[in-house]
Amino acid sequence: MPHMTAFARNQWYVAAYSHEVGREELLGRTILGEPLVFYRTEEDGTPVALADRCVHRRFPLHEKPSRLDGDKLVCGYHGFTYDTTGTCVYVPGQKRIPRTARVASYPVVELDSLVWVWIGDPALADAQTIPRARHLDAPGWVTVRGMEPIDADYGLLVDNLLDLSHETYLHGGYIGTPEVAETPITTEVDEGAGIVRVSRHMDDAECPPFYANSTGIQGRITRWQDIEYHAPCLYLLHSRIAPAGVLPEADGSDPNGFHTEITYAITPSSDGKVYDFWAVSRDWATENTEVTEFMRSNNHTVVMQDVVALNLLHKTLGTERTGYQELSINIDTGGLAARRILARLVEEGDKPVEKVL
């Protein structure tokens, strides 16, 4: 078996996009090995998360013919019925409800079009520690998004996203150009806040097809990639491109630049399985539906290239002999810092990190 990155349980994780949680369909997701069912309340649409196994015969509560009766969830096997706190309020064939007839309920917060869930000790769940991705539903921004499950340790996805030099090789013809791999990175680590920042600024680079075809820029570009990883779940890539030689104004304004926010939520499902939530947001050409579809289609292709590579890597690591050694170099600085922070979150008893945003 390959090495598995341990789960930090007392943290917030993205379980779904807002549009995935409703009342018509019950949503089932497994987070940190815990099967969960999600739905919304009737009156105000608040998301609810319960354990996805009926106490009676362990039937998955999100599966049909399970259904909602108002805000109560009715198991589709024998009719055991649960309220939003997970308390059983009806059992078939008897008036007395057993004291142990309840399923776990989990703290849920909906923020920036993401549904976050807390798997650990509910008393420690503080919504103020959730990192923000305001561009996902802010006015003036258009976002394309999706989610792909990957059959790989979630630590491999963290490594992948914190070392973008792989764009040159794995994503050539889409977002990769030679300059990405050739340009040195700068890395900053805020251990206390659990944040890793990796920056790569290219002042004279080839314009990759992904941006040439969506922005219309011809010729060489300046290209900035500024990563902000909030352990354990949220990854933000602040991307800027502009014609070569065009730099932001002294006041920080950037009239000739194209800003794109690339967001990933890295949510462990179980050992060797991870949900890869991806989104690309832009504040330019927001009315152009062709650009929107181009970015959705092309970014999905790029994500699937990562999925195939990480599935293969995880499978390969499972065949390695015990004690194998991997080689790390300068480009791995951010990923190694992230691994260190993830390990610390587990070792310290999962105390929530202080988020200062």
Side-chain angles (χ1 to χ4, degrees):
M1 284 290 291
H3 168 75
M4 295 292 180
T5 308
F7 301 148
R9 295 180 67 83
N10 284 324
Q11 303 291 329
W12 291 101
Y13 291 91
V14 172
Y17 291 116
S18 289
H19 73 264
E20 294 184 286
V21 180
R23 292 185 55 81
E24 295 298 318
E25 298 282 341
L26 296 163
L27 177 68
R29 287 271 154 84
T30 299
I31 312 292
L32 309 193
E34 301 287 341
L36 308 180
V37 57
F38 294 87
Y39 65 95
R40 291 185 183 275
T41 59
E42 198 167 34
E43 186 175 346
D44 59 7
T46 301
V48 175
L50 302 178
D52 189 29
R53 296 291 184 267
C54 182
V55 293
H56 177 230
R57 289 294 180 262
R58 312 301 293 167
F59 187 81
L61 292 171
H62 80 277
E63 293 282 8
K64 292 179 179 177
S66 297
R67 60 181 176 81
L68 292 177
D69 177 9
D71 288 344
K72 298 188 289 292
L73 178 53
V74 182
C75 176
Y77 193 17
H78 292 98
F80 278 64
T81 302
Y82 304 90
D83 66 15
T84 57
T85 71
T87 301
C88 184
V89 295
Y90 171 81
V91 299
Q94 62 185 61
K95 290 282 192 287
R96 189 185 68 82
I97 297 174
R99 182 178 51 82
T100 56
R102 61 179 304 114
V103 297
S105 64
Y106 298 84
V108 179
V109 173
E110 189 168 17
L111 199 61
D112 304 326
S113 79
L114 301 172
V115 176
W116 295 80
V117 67
W118 181 277
I119 298 296
D121 181 353
L124 299 178
D126 179 2
Q128 297 302 311
T129 64
I130 297 175
R132 300 301 301 270
R134 292 178 174 86
H135 50 272
L136 289 178
D137 63 358
W141 289 83
V142 173
T143 298
V144 294
R145 65 186 80 201
M147 187 278 283
E148 296 297 333
I150 306 179
D151 291 327
D153 175 58
Y154 85 97
L156 296 179
L157 181 56
V158 175
D159 285 346
N160 171 278
L161 292 173
L162 281 166
D163 171 21
L164 293 182
S165 67
H166 78 274
E167 288 183 352
T168 299
Y169 304 97
L170 189 62
H171 305 310
Y174 290 89
I175 57 176
T177 65
E179 293 81 11
V180 181
E182 293 167 0
T183 304
I185 60 170
T186 60
T187 305
E188 297 177 20
V189 183
D190 187 333
E191 295 278 356
I195 299 174
V196 180
R197 294 182 173 88
V198 180
S199 295
R200 181 183 270 109
H201 291 178
M202 297 157 271
D203 293 331
D204 181 18
E206 179 185 331
C207 189
F210 181 81
Y211 284 118
N213 293 329
S214 57
T215 66
I217 291 180
Q218 303 295 318
R220 310 286 287 181
I221 59 171
T222 59
R223 184 180 185 185
W224 293 4
Q225 295 176 324
D226 295 297
I227 296 168
E228 198 178 310
Y229 170 61
H230 297 258
C233 188
L234 190 69
Y235 170 100
L236 306 172
L237 169 57
H238 312 296
S239 171
R240 173 199 179 271
I241 69 162
V246 176
L247 296 174
E249 304 291 336
D251 63 0
S253 63
D254 194 5
N256 297 303
F258 293 82
H259 293 92
T260 308
E261 295 288 342
I262 294 133
T263 308
Y264 283 88
I266 305 163
T267 301
S269 174
S270 56
D271 283 340
K273 293 184 182 296
V274 58
Y275 295 121
D276 180 3
F277 293 89
W278 60 269
V280 179
S281 309
R282 71 184 194 279
D283 62 356
W284 46 272
T286 55
E287 303 297 320
N288 191 321
T289 56
E290 288 186 12
V291 170
T292 298
E293 176 53 28
F294 174 83
M295 299 193 84
R296 187 207 62 76
S297 175
N298 271 252
N299 205 71
H300 178 256
T301 299
V302 168
V303 169
M304 291 310 297
Q305 290 172 334
D306 281 335
V307 171
V308 170
L310 293 177
N311 284 347
L312 175 61
L313 180 57
H314 184 85
K315 186 176 180 181
T316 301
L317 291 175
T319 68
E320 289 281 12
R321 68 184 186 280
T322 302
Y324 71 89
Q325 294 292 314
E326 63 178 15
L327 174 68
S328 294
I329 56 175
N330 290 342
I331 59 174
D332 302 308
T333 306
L336 293 174
R339 290 187 194 183
R340 192 167 63 246
I341 289 170
L342 290 172
R344 178 176 60 78
L345 293 180
V346 176
E347 291 168 6
E348 289 185 352
D350 282 347
K351 287 179 286 191
V353 292
E354 297 288 332
K355 301 288 187 189
V356 182
L357 302 178

